[in-house]
Amino acid sequence: MDKKKIAVLTGGGDAPGLNAVIYTLTKTCILKYGYELIGYKFGYRGLYTNDFMPLTLENTTGILHKGGSILYSSNKDNLFDYKVKDENGNVIRKDVSDVAIANLKKEGVDALCILGGDGTLTSARDFARKGVNVVGVPKTIDNDLAATDRTFGFNTAVNIVTEALGRLHTTAESHHRVIVVEVMGRNAGWIALYGGIAGSADVILIPEIPYTLDNIIQKIHERDSRGKLFTIIVVSEGAMELGGTVTVNKIVKDSPDPIRLGGIANKLTYQLEKLLGEEHEVRPVVLGHTQRGGETSPYDRILSARFGSYAAKMIHEEKYGNMVCLDHSVISYVPLEKVVGSQKKINPETDELVEVARDLGVSFGDRPVIRKK
Ligand code: F6P
């Protein structure tokens, strides 16, 4: 058997399922193909500083169900535009990708398996263009990668949102409150749409459908008129009012995608409370990083295991420069060149779940409520 040395890294924001991919890849590469593995720590940063650990059956045992990444992660380190100090001690940005490639050569790495979302996979493509043998695996709770039907991490996040909405329903009802629940997803509303439908939200606000405050107030009043004196609003962090802009929490300068969204639940709560006056108290709940933490859902464990097993097979067959993907329930692969740069967003006109939600009486805040008798 041709003994290869495989390196693995996890980049970008973490997502439940990273450990399941690492686990399956390690087991498959060692037991099926007889390969040796190392894992670079903190994503691309470890590749630059040559900070790695061996991945063995012993040190990966028991991690399949656990969230996070035993290799840690970073969503700041783009080695093609990296912050370093020059000879005068001044901080400059520089392409240090050749240092990473030299490190791979020094360690005798034959192939690099990169687990990440859009930003991480953009660098994966760029390393592939420079001749590195790369295989990508699609990760993100946002489910916004166009080249795969699902990313791992998304299902777990939806489960967490659904569970939270179940809890918030009972307390909202007791106090006749309006509760505004902010969920992640960047500029795509998948988590809000899936979590909102599964958790019986009354209003779902997503980046793809701008809303008006008037339409939300109307929905609250319509519920009041039916004796439903509480309302659950799920708002995606990237949602915006018609004619408005996104709500930015902070700018992380070193990040390939520097804008961190956040704060819309607080803003909306303030606006709605002003409009509703004494009628209802409004409370914001920001689910934040709970959506990425804890145990990985069974669906994501299985998807990650399928991705990990297939990535090992791709390395064995030297199908480099590609990313594993899910294509209509079948695990397959796509060229990394086709993976990056086009975010998968909800199409309000054609996505079935938007229609399903409307059929359920959910308001997206874009239309006045029409209730036929
Ligand atoms: O891309 C995953 C994600 O969790 C987004 O949903 C969110 O906008 C962002 O990462 C948060 O990033 P950070 O962990 O840097 O706050």
Side-chain angles (χ1 to χ4, degrees):
M1 210 177 318
D2 161 35
K3 179 149 178 148
K4 286 188 176 124
K5 187 165 181 180
I6 315 303
V8 187
L9 69 81
T10 57
D14 71 344
L18 285 169
N19 280 330
V21 177
I22 295 170
Y23 177 74
T24 316
L25 185 77
T26 304
K27 267 197 130 164
T28 314
C29 281
I30 293 175
L31 297 176
K32 194 169 182 180
Y33 301 120
Y35 297 160
E36 185 189 344
L37 287 98
I38 59 170
Y40 283 100
K41 296 184 195 168
F42 292 107
Y44 289 115
R45 194 192 317 162
L47 191 54
Y48 175 65
T49 57
N50 210 25
D51 184 8
F52 64 86
M53 61 190 247
L55 287 174
T56 64
L57 297 177
E58 289 72 32
N59 70 9
T60 55
T61 187
I63 63 166
L64 179 121
H65 61 287
K66 289 185 181 161
S69 167
I70 60 162
L71 295 175
Y72 314 114
S73 196
S74 161
N75 56 8
K76 291 188 190 166
D77 303 293
N78 175 4
L79 299 187
F80 292 86
D81 185 30
Y82 199 60
K83 215 162 83 177
V84 286
K85 284 196 176 152
D86 68 9
E87 53 280 5
N88 303 317
N90 299 319
V91 175
I92 54 158
R93 303 200 78 91
K94 199 174 151 186
D95 180 347
V96 295
S97 56
D98 286 338
V99 177
I101 293 173
N103 285 337
L104 289 168
K105 284 212 174 99
K106 191 163 76 189
E107 300 311 322
V109 170
D110 297 292
L112 178 60
C113 185
I114 299 177
L115 284 52
D118 196 36
T120 305
L121 292 170
T122 303
S123 290
R125 179 206 57 193
D126 294 342
F127 275 113
R129 281 181 181 173
K130 292 188 87 166
V132 178
N133 294 332
V134 175
V135 166
V137 183
K139 163 242 66 164
T140 168
I141 64 163
D142 305 333
N143 197 39
D144 61 351
L145 278 179
T148 181
D149 290 347
R150 272 283 175 285
T151 53
F152 68 82
F154 172 66
N155 178 267
T156 308
V158 168
N159 286 357
I160 291 163
V161 171
T162 307
E163 208 251 1
L165 294 185
R167 291 176 185 278
L168 292 169
H169 262 91
T170 58
T171 175
E173 187 161 16
S174 301
H175 291 270
H176 293 176
R177 280 178 174 154
V178 173
I179 297 195
V180 183
V181 189
E182 180 176 318
V183 302
M184 284 184 166
R186 293 200 303 170
N187 301 107
W190 299 108
I191 297 177
L193 183 62
Y194 275 69
I197 292 177
S200 298
D202 308 299
V203 178
I204 300 176
L205 305 176
I206 56 176
E208 295 86 345
I209 306 181
Y211 61 85
T212 71
L213 293 172
D214 255 13
N215 288 332
I216 301 172
I217 295 286
Q218 264 203 43
K219 177 68 186 172
I220 295 167
H221 284 156
E222 183 264 334
R223 284 180 56 76
D224 288 347
S225 72
R226 289 188 286 119
K228 295 280 196 183
L229 300 172
F230 68 98
T231 296
I232 302 285
I233 301 174
V234 173
V235 59
S236 177
E237 60 183 359
M240 63 196 111
E241 230 180 304
L242 188 67
T245 51
V246 287
T247 310
V248 176
N249 176 27
K250 64 193 278 194
I251 304 287
V252 182
K253 278 200 197 129
D254 303 346
S255 177
D257 184 7
I259 295 174
R260 292 292 179 277
L261 299 170
I264 193 161
N266 284 307
K267 189 166 108 183
L268 200 54
T269 295
Y270 174 77
Q271 292 170 319
L272 292 176
E273 214 159 32
K274 263 177 85 176
L275 292 167
L276 288 165
E278 300 286 294
E279 286 176 59
H280 288 285
E281 278 187 85
V282 189
R283 289 283 198 273
V285 173
V286 181
L287 294 182
H289 291 84
T290 58
Q291 292 159 96
R292 282 179 12 198
E295 293 218 334
T296 306
S297 72
Y299 178 93
D300 276 336
R301 293 179 203 188
I302 289 166
L303 181 63
S304 304
R306 293 174 78 193
F307 280 165
S309 157
Y310 201 83
K313 183 177 144 134
M314 284 169 66
I315 290 166
H316 184 65
E317 293 172 358
E318 307 198 337
K319 293 200 169 103
Y320 300 130
N322 295 300
M323 183 193 81
V324 191
C325 66
L326 184 71
D327 181 8
H328 298 90
S329 315
V330 176
I331 303 291
S332 179
Y333 63 92
V334 279
L336 277 166
E337 290 290 345
K338 287 196 178 161
V339 166
V340 292
S342 66
Q343 206 188 11
K344 182 173 67 186
K345 291 183 150 210
I346 295 164
N347 183 332
E349 313 308 326
T350 57
D351 263 303
E352 185 209 356
L353 275 194
V354 172
E355 193 180 343
V356 171
R358 291 199 199 274
D359 289 349
L360 286 166
V362 170
S363 166
F364 287 96
D366 60 328
R367 298 176 184 171
V369 182
I370 303 162
R371 199 171 166 80
K372 296 199 181 86
K373 294 246 160 126

